[in-house]
Amino acid sequence: MGRPIEVSASILAADFANLERDIKRCEAAGVARFHIDCMDGHFVPNLTIGPVIVEAIRRHTKLPLEAHLMIEHPGDYIGHYAKAGADIIQLQAECYGRRRAACGLWNQWPKETDHVDAAALCADLKKIRGLGKKAFVVFNPGTPLAEDVLGTCDGVLIMSVNPGFAGQKFMPEALPKLKRLKEIFKGDIAIDGGVNAQTAPSAVGAGARVLITASYLFGAPDLSAVVETLKSLG
Ligand code: DX5
Ligand code: ZN
């Protein structure tokens, strides 16, 4: 039997005025982790969560917290998110390479790169590990895998939407990257964006073991049923 499926609740679709309640609902439904989308309005066209919210969530759950940093210069913030209580810190590969010409300006998205600076990225991954946290690399749909950093990662997160918002459509372009990781990578393989009952089977078939979901989970009347449906794909 392969590794069991874990569901990570992306709180971007939670009720932010009732976050504690939604955290408890997710725990009761059997999620394995919480996924916290931290956006700066520069790396992505949306602005969301900083370390203070991570700290607030930390007080209400013992489950692992993953901070998905969709921010420019993420290395400068690793210490802040670690101190706030994140267990897993997820760095976008596009922050460590020359950007494609089409996304070179601040208001051009999605950010994509063909040339990841592995030395710079690995230095920040080691910084995360040095703080006793798990280090993940994230690849946007248009960014190819940088296989030379995998030895320094505890996990890889493959984006199946261009980051910025919940509720977007799953991009099947993510599947070949999952398949490749399944062959060569022993750590966690996670998928983020557009995960639901229709799209999750192909992601799991391709190698994903951590399924991150926001709108499918929080949009359902019964969170437990969603978690059961996703876990049963394992
Ligand atoms: C997108 C975020 C995702 C998002 C997923 O930028 O990184 O975590 O919240 O939302 P759904 O599951 O609705 O696609
Ligand atoms: Zn995310």
Side-chain angles (χ1 to χ4, degrees):
M1 206 182 102
R3 221 188 268 202
I5 301 294
E6 292 190 11
V7 176
S8 183
S10 174
I11 63 153
L12 195 55
D15 178 351
F16 283 103
N18 289 287
L19 207 41
E20 182 183 358
R21 181 203 66 190
D22 277 358
I23 288 166
K24 297 300 168 201
R25 286 172 71 215
C26 289
E27 286 186 335
V31 309
R33 313 172 177 193
F34 287 97
H35 179 88
I36 306 174
D37 285 313
C38 307
M39 307 186 190
D40 68 350
H42 291 262
F43 182 77
V44 287
N46 194 7
L47 191 58
T48 57
I49 293 166
V52 288
I53 306 293
V54 175
E55 202 182 333
I57 295 171
R58 179 74 289 166
R59 289 197 287 272
H60 296 292
T61 183
K62 292 196 165 35
L63 289 179
L65 301 183
E66 35 187 57
H68 178 188
L69 302 190
M70 288 161 275
I71 62 178
E72 298 287 10
H73 309 293
D76 294 351
Y77 296 90
I78 289 169
H80 296 275
Y81 281 97
K83 189 157 173 259
D87 303 286
I88 296 168
I89 298 182
Q90 301 174 325
L91 303 177
Q92 291 276 163
E94 299 79 13
C95 294
Y96 298 86
R98 185 155 39 85
R99 300 257 164 92
R100 287 195 186 136
C103 58
L105 298 179
W106 86 270
N107 60 347
Q108 293 177 323
W109 299 285
K111 301 302 184 194
E112 294 172 341
T113 182
D114 293 305
H115 307 279
V116 172
D117 178 345
L121 176 49
C122 288
D124 277 352
L125 293 168
K126 285 180 191 157
K127 192 165 159 185
I128 295 170
R129 285 177 156 183
L131 293 168
K133 311 293 184 176
K134 290 200 167 137
F136 278 48
V137 173
V138 189
F139 295 95
N140 278 348
T143 298
L145 285 178
E147 296 188 3
D148 45 353
V149 306
L150 299 181
T152 314
C153 301
D154 300 296
V156 174
L157 171 51
I158 298 298
M159 291 307 298
S160 39
V161 296
N162 283 315
F165 302 93
Q168 303 183 78
K169 198 164 167 277
F170 184 86
M171 295 167 68
E173 292 91 316
L175 297 174
K177 279 191 252 185
L178 292 173
K179 285 186 188 140
R180 176 71 182 147
L181 284 170
K182 191 180 177 184
E183 284 168 11
I184 62 169
F185 183 62
K186 296 277 167 282
D188 271 356
I189 303 177
I191 185 89
D192 186 13
V195 169
N196 58 39
Q198 286 70 47
T199 58
S202 61
V204 170
R209 284 294 171 273
V210 180
L211 304 179
I212 297 163
T213 165
S215 49
Y216 173 48
L217 179 66
F218 287 103
D222 179 4
L223 274 58
S224 310
V226 168
V227 174
E228 274 319 303
T229 301
L230 294 177
K231 278 167 113 172
S232 72
L233 299 171

